[in-house]
């Protein structure tokens, strides 16, 4: 039996623009999904997941795609969650070169689902690492990242970028630009996350930006400006990694977060709840704040070394939950064997 964990993520810079080949900088945060895997003697897969906001379910199903679980939960939700686990198991079997290996899998996660914090990627990354390790195969973080990307790509019908899975597997701050993914040098960053309890529809939001970009030159320029801002942000991170995250550098990074949020708003992907949380964070003394992920609802990320932003967010009606989430310098890791 092997337990592995993998972190969720926030976007420091670059969501949406990354769809058009601009760079983005997702950062892994210390909120983890933990997956325990144990090989079975048959070809069946049994999954238990108590806190995936599915109100708790335990299902057993066979290896075949037609053999669906019989559980008391909305079928669409179970179907969506099962696709990720199915695809993670498929990648594991491929890595093991054993299409009939069965598993007992337990999933626990303290990453809110569907909030743009990369919960599905973290589950897929931890599941592939744990299931392969349980059969004695040691995959590198990069190999896990590649297989997790393929699993998400299949589960999301080809609508997946490498950002979430790569970031979760290798940890830290990463650079994503098309297929170019690599880890960046970055200092420890004082992230505070505010969550409105909801989620935007990523497909719809991406399509909205695409339409705007096709209709208006300003929108294409805005996407380009997000790319420029991300490049400046990467240079700042590099400087702070080498020379320390002084208050001045934290303020400069925060300023870029604020501008990024403004550009994302211009592209139509913010929401009243996100704006309220962003302003609450700024007024509390965060050096900057922005929405993270697709937008439309979900989460904001702010930078603040003090407790003031977290407290202010907790008191903001639009905010359901606020928490501090340090940069997770470690990606996927084995917790116990
Ligand atoms: O909401 P998330 O974390 O899935 O992020 C979506 C990021 C986008 O850039 C809007 C879309 C994408 O696939 O990169």
């Amino acid at each position: 039996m092997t337990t592995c964990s993998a972190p969720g993520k926030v976007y420091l810079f670059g969501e949406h623009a990354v769809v058009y080949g601009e760079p983005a900088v997702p950062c892994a945060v210390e909120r983890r999904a933990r997956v325990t895997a144990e090989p079975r003697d048959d070809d069946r897969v049994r999954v238990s997941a108590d806190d995936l906001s599915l109100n708790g379910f335990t299902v057993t199903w066979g290896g075949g795609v037609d053999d669906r679980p019989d559980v008391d939960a909305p079928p669409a939700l179970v179907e969506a969650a099962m696709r990720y686990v199915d695809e993670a198991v498929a990648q594991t079997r491929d890595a093991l070169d054993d299409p009939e290996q069965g598993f007992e899998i337990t999933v626990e996660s303290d990453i809110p689902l569907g909030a743009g914090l990369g919960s599905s990627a973290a589950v897929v990354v931890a599941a592939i690492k744990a299931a392969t390790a349980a059969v004695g195969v040691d995959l590198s973080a990069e190999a896990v990242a590649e297989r997790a990307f393929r699993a998400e790509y299949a589960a999301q019908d080809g609508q997946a970028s490498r950002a979430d899975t790569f970031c979760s597997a290798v940890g830290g701050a990463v650079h994503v630009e098309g297929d170019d993914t690599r880890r960046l040098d970055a200092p420890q960053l004082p992230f505070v996350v505010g969550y409105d309890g909801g989620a935007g529809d990523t497909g719809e939001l991406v399509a909205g930006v695409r339409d705007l970009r096709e209709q208006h030159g300003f929108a294409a320029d805005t996407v380009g400006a997000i790319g420029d801002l991300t490049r400046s942000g990467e240079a700042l991170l590099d400087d702070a990694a080498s020379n320390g995250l002084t208050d001045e550098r934290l303020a400069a990074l925060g300023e870029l977060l604020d501008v990024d949020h403004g550009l994302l708003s211009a592209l139509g992907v913010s929401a009243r709840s996100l704006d309220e949380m962003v302003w609450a964070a700024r007024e509390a003394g965060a050096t900057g704040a922005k929405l993270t992920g697709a937008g439309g609802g979900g989460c904001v990320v702010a930078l603040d070394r003090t407790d003031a932003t977290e407290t202010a967010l907790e008191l903001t009606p639009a905010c359901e939950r606020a928490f501090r989430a340090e940069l997770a310098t470690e990606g996927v890791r084995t917790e116990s064997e």
Side-chain angles (χ1 to χ4, degrees), residues 88 104 208 332:
E104 291 282 322
V332 66

Side-chain angles (χ1 to χ4, degrees), residues 26-63:
C27 293
V29 293
E30 270 311 335
R31 285 255 143 176
R32 287 179 175 263
R34 274 167 295 281
V35 176
T36 301
E38 193 171 10
R40 285 174 66 113
D41 294 336
D42 57 23
D43 68 349
R44 294 176 76 76
V45 176
R46 183 172 188 276
V47 182
S48 315
D50 288 335
D51 38 4
L52 285 179
S53 85
L54 292 173
N55 299 322
F57 72 101
T58 301
V59 293
T60 308
W61 82 103

Side-chain angles (χ1 to χ4, degrees), residues 9 11 14-19 24 114-118 156 159-164 200 202 205-206 292-295:
K9 65 102 200 19
Y11 270 94
E15 56 271 87
H16 283 287
V18 71
V19 174
L117 295 179
Q156 295 172 190
Q159 300 280 331
S161 81
R162 291 178 179 273
D164 288 22
T202 303
L205 290 151
V206 169
T292 170

Side-chain angles (χ1 to χ4, degrees), residues 80-152:
M82 286 304 102
R83 282 193 77 182
Y84 288 103
V85 180
D86 266 349
E87 297 299 342
V89 168
Q91 283 299 323
T92 300
R93 287 172 166 165
D94 187 59
L96 301 173
D97 207 11
D98 181 356
E100 304 205 327
Q101 178 66 58
F103 291 99
E104 291 282 322
I105 291 178
T106 307
V107 182
E108 290 169 86
S109 176
D110 48 36
I111 310 167
L113 263 199
L117 295 179
S119 57
S120 57
V123 168
V124 168
V125 164
I128 292 172
K129 180 71 181 173
T132 47
V135 200
V137 172
D138 183 22
L139 292 186
S140 68
E142 285 72 20
V144 172
E146 179 60 33
R147 289 195 173 276
F149 167 65
R150 286 189 226 158
E152 270 220 327

Side-chain angles (χ1 to χ4, degrees), residues 321-337:
R321 223 186 305 169
F323 51 88
R324 183 163 278 292
E326 300 295 331
L327 185 72
T329 49
E330 229 184 327
V332 66
R333 69 174 180 230
T334 302
E335 302 285 349
S336 65
E337 291 179 281

